Amino acid sequence: MKKSSRLMTVLGIGGLVAGSLLTASSASAGPAGRSVVAEPHLTTSQDVVRQTSSAVLLSATGGAPTTVISETVPAGSWVLSSNATLVSWEPSDYTRCTLYAGETVVGGATSMIGNAATGAGSGVYAATVAAQGAFSGTGPTTVSLRCGHDTTRARAPYVDPGATLWLHRSDGPAQPKR
């Protein structure tokens, strides 16, 4: 009986400690209890995250990219990553999301929403496109994620809210000089 009550005491103390740790970690998620991901604009010493808060309607014209999200960054070397969910009301041709530094293409990805080979369908089709890239700039540069479809469409597709552009400065003060 003594071993059983000691075991229960140890388990009880362990639960209290674990509960305190969980409470402490969730309290550090951000100001006013918001998580870092939910922040529309977050800047740290070397990272910039920009996230859309509403849907972005793409152009119905084929080959005409629409800016989904953009951010201006200072001079330096930057590694980029983006994530966007594209939504359409019909199977799609290829959809391209491209990363630009100014007007220079620095990365991109292509996806298909649904399957165009199956013919016209009904319902809603969605696909997530992730693109990566990198660039170096000598002055402030506007970086943007632009998406569009290859062919003209009767009904313009859109990018769902929450598209994210993540930039990491790769030549920060912690890096050794070359």
Side-chain angles (χ1 to χ4, degrees), residues 158-175:
Y158 69 94
V159 177
D160 202 49
T164 302
L165 177 61
W166 176 85
L167 302 98
H168 174 72
R169 189 169 184 165
S170 61
D171 63 349
Q175 300 289 327

Side-chain angles (χ1 to χ4, degrees), residues 27-111:
S28 65
R34 294 178 302 206
S35 71
V36 171
V37 174
E39 289 293 327
H41 184 237
L42 168 75
T43 304
T44 65
S45 60
Q46 289 190 288
D47 294 328
V48 176
V49 176
R50 184 83 166 89
Q51 187 173 25
T52 59
S53 58
S54 61
V56 175
L57 190 64
L58 298 183
S59 173
T61 305
T66 300
T67 299
V68 173
I69 192 167
S70 67
E71 182 69 32
T72 300
V73 295
S77 295
W78 295 87
V79 177
L80 319 173
S81 182
S82 64
N83 195 4
T85 299
L86 306 160
V87 181
S88 180
W89 289 270
E90 59 186 296
S92 170
D93 56 351
Y94 286 104
T95 302
R96 303 181 191 284
C97 287
T98 307
L99 288 167
Y100 287 82
E103 292 303 313
T104 302
V105 174
V106 294
T110 302
S111 185

Side-chain angles (χ1 to χ4, degrees), residues 92-164:
S92 170
D93 56 351
Y94 286 104
T95 302
R96 303 181 191 284
C97 287
T98 307
L99 288 167
Y100 287 82
E103 292 303 313
T104 302
V105 174
V106 294
T110 302
S111 185
M112 185 175 281
I113 304 175
N115 183 351
T118 62
S122 62
V124 177
Y125 300 85
T128 298
V129 179
Q132 292 79 36
F135 78 98
S136 290
T138 56
T141 305
T142 299
V143 178
S144 60
L145 172 66
R146 304 175 195 174
C147 297
H149 288 273
D150 280 1
T151 60
T152 299
R153 312 184 62 74
R155 194 169 170 192
Y158 69 94
V159 177
D160 202 49
T164 302

